[in-house]
Amino acid sequence: MNKINTINDLGTLREKLQSYRKSFRKTLILCNGTGCQASRSQDLIGSIQTELVKQGFATDILVRATGCHGFCEQGPILVVEPDNTFYCHVTPDDAEEIVRKTVAKGELIERLLYTDPVSGKTIPRESDIPFYKAQDRQLLAQNRQVDPCNIEDYIAIGGYSALAKVLSGISQKSVIAEIKRSELRGRGGAGFPTGRKWEQCSDAPGDEKYVICNADEGDPGAYMDRSVLEGNPHLVLEGMIIGAWAVNAWQGYVYVRNEYPLAVKHIRTAIEQAREMGILGENIFGTPFSFDVEVARGGGAFVCGESTALMASLEGKVGEPHPKDVHSVVDGLWHKPTVLNNVETWANVPVIMQNGAAWFAGKGSKNSKGTKILALTGHIKNTGLVEVPMGTTLETVVFTIGGGSPGKAVRAVQTGGPSGGCLPLDKLYLPLDFDALAEAGSMVGSGGIVVMDEDTCMVDVAKYFLTFLQDESCGKCVPCRLGIDRMLELVTGIAEGNGKPEDIDLLEDLAWTVSETSLCALGKTAANPVLSTLRYFRDEYDTHIHEKKCPAGVCQALITYWVDPETCTGCGVCLKECPHSAVKGEKKQPHEIDLALCEKCGICKSSCKFDAIQVR
Amino acid sequence: MTQYVNINVDGMSIQAPKGTSVLDAALDSGICIPHLCRVPYVADIGACRLCIVENVLNGHSKITTSCTLRVKEGMVIRSNTEKIIKLRRNIAELLVAEAPNSRAVQDVAKRCGVRDVRYSFHNSNCILCGKCVRVCPGTLGVKPLTFVGRGKDRRVEAPFNLKTELCNDCGRCIDLCPMTVVPCLGAMKTGEEHLCVNCEAKMDFIEETPGLCVWCYFGEGFQCQRHDLGTRGRARA
């Protein structure tokens, strides 16, 4: 790799790279994100390459292993360009056929195509798939165009041109003004206006300033930041360099959790390559501006995603939050002015600088602009990463893109991770908007959307999130440590049938105390799962308390299993499977469950082929 | 020369030296804000959250701990609004339910107006105020006492649970520990779900004179700075 000494060099290099890319007859794009790797995508890449050599296509076909494409449900994914052919659930054994038919002759392999669940027809082209069609993929679409470990790929698709534009004569004030005009709000959860944050940091006294990328993503079921950092690390780097230029920082950090090994590896490679090319380090593009980035790995504490705890952790101290009476834009890392932004926020910066603030502000709703990446998980057909303009309704996300729950009705949607709330079905008309969701008692948060079907007990959901938060609270301040503990105690009591009517008031009072007085954002939002379930699913709590019943059949203490003698065929499967020998009965005769022995594990129910075991 | 700033606490104008905390400024002026995890002259961490106040700024009030809040010219602080009193009582209730046998915790709970406790009692012997950890001088800056674990597993321990040679037996940690204050006569036992009679009698006094410093009654228990100074018959510098 040659060092880029002037801004013009970048343009020349880009033209060279683009013509090199065009010289290939076809490009095989293979998703190699963490999700697809778990489904053996690395073996697939190996066998595709072997087959290409074997069948003599090694020179005119380009194979690109990319980051996450988003449609994780269908992984491993293979896209053939320029035809835009989309193959899903590809296994290493399919490699030979793909090369023989699709690569050599351009034929489609019917069984590997995506089948639309609504019409039942196969869809050959990626862009026609409803999952992709309803999205507006400004950031995610780049993932499939670049090999994350190859800076040249990123340059070829126009990467670092926003940085070049900025460094070729846009003043620091104008960069901040542009970001402010775009009305970009932080994507990490709080939705603080990014431009204002930069401006405050830029105005703060001191020569030594820092920028930090927060990649300590820890919400259960959320993986937007991981996929962006894994799939397109240079986009994040470019954003950080532009941000550093705007606030006049000389050093940046990427704080990424160690549980994301691929993201750590890719961002490290990206930094190495950018340094080699002269995009990081002394005199970027031959200008007087110098900036470097280092990677810091987090130990996996959820609370370290909180800004002050993250900075403490970066400084080598215990990752605990401290009071924020003076903001980190003035007194941040090592008591210096610091800009801390989320991965997705940084990734939006080059896009804004490239396309202009007006373009960005043209997308989205009144107070929330641009697009947002969401991680769609839970009881949903199309699990994956979705990017939609802000202001899109949750209904569109869950039903049009996500396809709803498989076989069952959607009951609730949990947005914003443990700090967010559960919204019932009749609230799904709400737009994905920072203010609208906050008003409804939930939040956009980092963008995790967990869909729950009708078999979900809301008391159990509150219990789950409280258990998570109890484990992840740092334990420093009283309301968070003891308050969450007591809320969990109360909710567990309700789930076990020991709930008293006055528990609800106490729970509300406690939730209010915890959210008002906790030290950091973890505690301040910890009550949201309880408050939102109480607000929208109060009847469910009441049924648990007054009738001692769990309507969804989840809370073990409140349910009993019984065998419906009409449908039981006496096949004996449940009898064999029951680990507690609680199922009794003769062969070919309806069985019975001995309630004294039954531990309510539910194995009998899941093993029964005839739906004869019911929950009461 | 010390620079002074003017702040307003509960309608009272106070002059406080620049750089002090709102809690210090209030205590020095005879306004009692309950506090538990504070150690004079040692950096505050805002752990007990009892000293919460409303910081009124541009018509919005923000709840924050007064021990970590530095005084600023023109600051308006409300320490005894209805909301603050209620929140403080709820926090004190959590604390007293956690460690009912500590006189310090009981006293501060009474001061905050806790009458009955709505939770079952835990019998912890540490409320993680962190006084010991912060005051421990250690040797050469290396401390034999620290917080270990996270969330509900958080506890104060010697690193790796070894009493190292770093401890020079100065005993400061024991002096300050709110759990080592001699229990009052009516200390609650596990399972007793009410505060003792002695304490309830004192409660009436507090309700009649809200916002007044009551160090003479309760300060000893929770080691109120004013109480310490008062008993020494100090004169204000």
Side-chain angles (χ1 to χ4, degrees), chain A residues 479 482-488 490 503-517 527 531, chain B residues 87 90-91 93-94 118-119:
Chain A
L482 300 181
I484 293 176
D485 193 40
R486 293 296 180 171
M487 282 198 281
L488 181 61
L490 289 167
D503 281 357
I504 301 272
D505 290 337
L506 182 53
L507 208 52
E508 271 173 346
D509 195 27
L510 191 54
W512 172 68
T513 310
V514 173
S515 55
E516 286 283 355
T517 61
L531 287 174
Chain B
L87 286 170
N90 284 353
I91 298 170
E93 187 185 351
L94 283 171
R118 294 169 288 179
Y119 313 104

Side-chain angles (χ1 to χ4, degrees), chain B residues 3-235:
Chain B
Q3 284 185 325
Y4 285 87
V5 292
N6 296 300
I7 64 165
N8 184 308
V9 183
D10 298 336
M12 191 165 134
S13 293
I14 292 177
Q15 262 202 344
K18 211 175 169 181
T20 51
S21 68
V22 171
L23 179 62
D24 278 344
L27 289 174
D28 279 346
S29 307
I31 298 169
C32 180
I33 300 174
H35 51 269
L36 193 64
C37 69
R38 180 181 179 284
V39 189
Y41 311 115
V42 173
D44 286 299
I45 53 171
C48 75
R49 316 302 288 174
L50 285 170
C51 66
I52 46 167
V53 290
E54 277 184 54
N55 182 8
V56 188
L57 208 77
N58 308 326
H60 296 284
S61 76
K62 196 183 153 206
I63 293 177
T64 174
T65 43
S66 56
C67 65
T68 54
L69 187 65
R70 303 285 132 197
V71 290
K72 221 163 115 187
E73 185 63 44
M75 214 173 215
V76 179
I77 300 293
R78 300 267 172 273
S79 83
N80 60 357
T81 58
E82 211 174 297
K83 188 175 175 186
I84 288 289
I85 290 174
K86 215 175 147 198
L87 286 170
R88 203 180 273 153
R89 189 170 61 218
N90 284 353
I91 298 170
E93 187 185 351
L94 283 171
L95 274 170
V96 82
E98 193 66 15
N101 288 329
S102 154
R103 182 182 162 198
V105 176
Q106 277 193 39
D107 275 359
V108 86
K110 279 170 267 155
R111 168 65 187 87
C112 298
V114 178
R115 294 219 139 199
D116 46 29
V117 180
R118 294 169 288 179
Y119 313 104
S120 59
F121 284 95
H122 291 169
N123 212 5
S124 305
N125 50 17
C126 177
I127 49 160
L128 296 171
C129 63
K131 279 183 174 180
C132 51
V133 173
R134 278 177 293 151
V135 84
C136 177
T139 303
L140 298 170
V142 185
K143 292 185 179 191
L145 263 187
T146 186
F147 287 118
V148 178
R150 184 173 76 204
K152 65 179 194 304
D153 298 327
R154 188 174 159 106
R155 60 202 181 275
V156 174
E157 250 177 34
F160 308 105
N161 217 1
L162 299 168
K163 183 176 182 282
T164 58
E165 55 271 36
L166 296 169
C167 173
N168 47 30
D169 295 315
C170 70
R172 284 180 215 186
C173 47
I174 300 169
D175 282 351
L176 281 171
C177 180
M179 312 306 288
T180 57
V181 177
V182 185
C184 78
L185 289 172
M188 278 181 289
K189 306 286 181 300
T190 326
E192 275 184 19
E193 310 235 333
H194 57 86
L195 294 175
C196 69
V197 191
N198 298 358
C199 316
E200 277 184 48
K202 287 175 194 167
M203 279 307 309
D204 301 337
F205 172 69
I206 293 168
E207 276 171 15
E208 280 162 23
T209 54
L212 195 86
C213 173
V214 287
W215 54 263
C216 43
Y217 276 88
F218 300 117
E220 192 189 345
F222 59 91
Q223 294 163 344
C224 170
Q225 185 198 13
R226 272 190 67 75
H227 180 270
D228 281 2
L229 296 173
T231 46
R232 276 186 231 131
R234 57 111 215 197

